[in-house]
Amino acid sequence: MRVLVAEDEEVLAELVATGLRRAGFAVDTVYSGDAALAYLGLHDYDVVVLDRDLPRVHGDDVTRRLVASGSRTRILMLTAAGSMEDRVAGLDLGADDYLPKPFEFPELVSRVRALRRRSARPAPPLLERSGLRLDTVRRTAERDGRELDLSPKEFAVLQILLEADGAVVSAEELLERAWDAHAGPFTGAVRVALGTLRGKLGEPPLIRTVQGVGYAL
């Protein structure tokens, strides 16, 4: 649900990020290998879309360090070199998948989703609880057969709460998993998103606030 795009072509990086956000992911972008390592050290990403030919710190070195650290972040390596030898070399470094440029965007989104399902926090394709039904592949949601028109952020918050299976999820965890690095801890973004989500879910209320702890479904 949270993706880092590390690509030195800034226009391409922002295009990829915009498309992934529309697909429901929280996305950060960086344009060099050292920046990628800094972000990966600060945040818990599900997937990093990693250009192999990054400046300052090469993408191969980013991959080596990430794998050596035991990180659960999955690596989708991008490169302009698409020969079999290049793909094998990238996968041997520890990348989980490899996509040569140019690529079709729907394929990129599909591969990111597949890697996310292989992460340490796998998401079942269908989540159901208390009359709610969330299809994480088709990105649809309904309550008691009534279709819910959710924004990508509301969908992400509801998915996290459903995955918790009744356990309390803190505001900090929601912010970490559903928002990008530009969302500050004091913005009230979580409270606002939960307010609109509760309104769309309707009555009787499904999301409860555990004072001083977080939220549960």
Side-chain angles (χ1 to χ4, degrees), residues 6 24 45 53 69 83 88-89 92 109 162 176 180 186 192 195 210:
Y45 292 100
D53 297 315
S69 72
S83 70
V88 170
D92 282 347
V109 172
L162 280 165
E176 170 68 20
D180 60 32
F186 306 110
V192 171
V210 181

Side-chain angles (χ1 to χ4, degrees), residues 104-143:
E104 296 294 331
F105 196 79
E107 182 180 6
L108 173 67
V109 172
S110 179
R111 286 174 182 251
V112 170
R113 282 180 175 153
L115 288 177
R116 197 276 178 194
R117 290 194 293 271
R118 289 167 51 191
S119 72
R121 293 192 301 260
L126 196 63
L127 296 167
E128 296 182 88
R129 184 182 179 89
S130 304
L132 285 173
R133 181 182 176 93
L134 206 70
D135 189 321
T136 63
V137 176
R138 295 181 176 86
R139 309 293 296 175
T140 59
E142 59 182 51
R143 179 180 184 183

Side-chain angles (χ1 to χ4, degrees), residues 44-55:
D44 184 16
Y45 292 100
D46 295 289
V47 178
V48 55
V49 179
L50 181 68
D51 179 37
R52 191 170 187 181
D53 297 315
L54 288 173

Side-chain angles (χ1 to χ4, degrees), residues 94-202:
D96 298 282
D97 201 356
Y98 193 99
L99 190 61
K101 300 176 184 177
F103 51 83
E104 296 294 331
F105 196 79
E107 182 180 6
L108 173 67
V109 172
S110 179
R111 286 174 182 251
V112 170
R113 282 180 175 153
L115 288 177
R116 197 276 178 194
R117 290 194 293 271
R118 289 167 51 191
S119 72
R121 293 192 301 260
L126 196 63
L127 296 167
E128 296 182 88
R129 184 182 179 89
S130 304
L132 285 173
R133 181 182 176 93
L134 206 70
D135 189 321
T136 63
V137 176
R138 295 181 176 86
R139 309 293 296 175
T140 59
E142 59 182 51
R143 179 180 184 183
D144 298 326
R146 173 175 60 89
E147 187 175 348
L148 301 172
D149 183 18
L150 304 182
S151 70
K153 201 64 64 183
E154 292 159 357
F155 192 98
V157 169
L158 186 57
Q159 180 175 342
I160 293 167
L161 292 174
L162 280 165
E163 287 176 354
D165 197 26
V168 178
V169 181
S170 69
E172 292 77 13
E173 182 177 351
L174 287 172
L175 194 66
E176 170 68 20
R177 292 181 59 188
W179 275 263
D180 60 32
H182 298 291
F186 306 110
T187 61
V190 172
R191 177 177 50 80
V192 171
L194 279 162
T196 58
L197 178 58
R198 281 170 163 149
K200 291 180 179 182
L201 291 176

Side-chain angles (χ1 to χ4, degrees), residues 9-55:
E9 297 180 38
E10 295 190 21
V11 173
L12 176 59
E14 295 308 322
L15 284 173
V16 169
T18 298
L20 289 173
R21 290 185 186 112
R22 287 174 180 165
F25 294 98
V27 186
D28 296 320
T29 54
V30 293
Y31 314 115
S32 64
D34 54 343
L37 288 171
Y39 269 63
L40 288 164
L42 286 172
H43 305 290
D44 184 16
Y45 292 100
D46 295 289
V47 178
V48 55
V49 179
L50 181 68
D51 179 37
R52 191 170 187 181
D53 297 315
L54 288 173

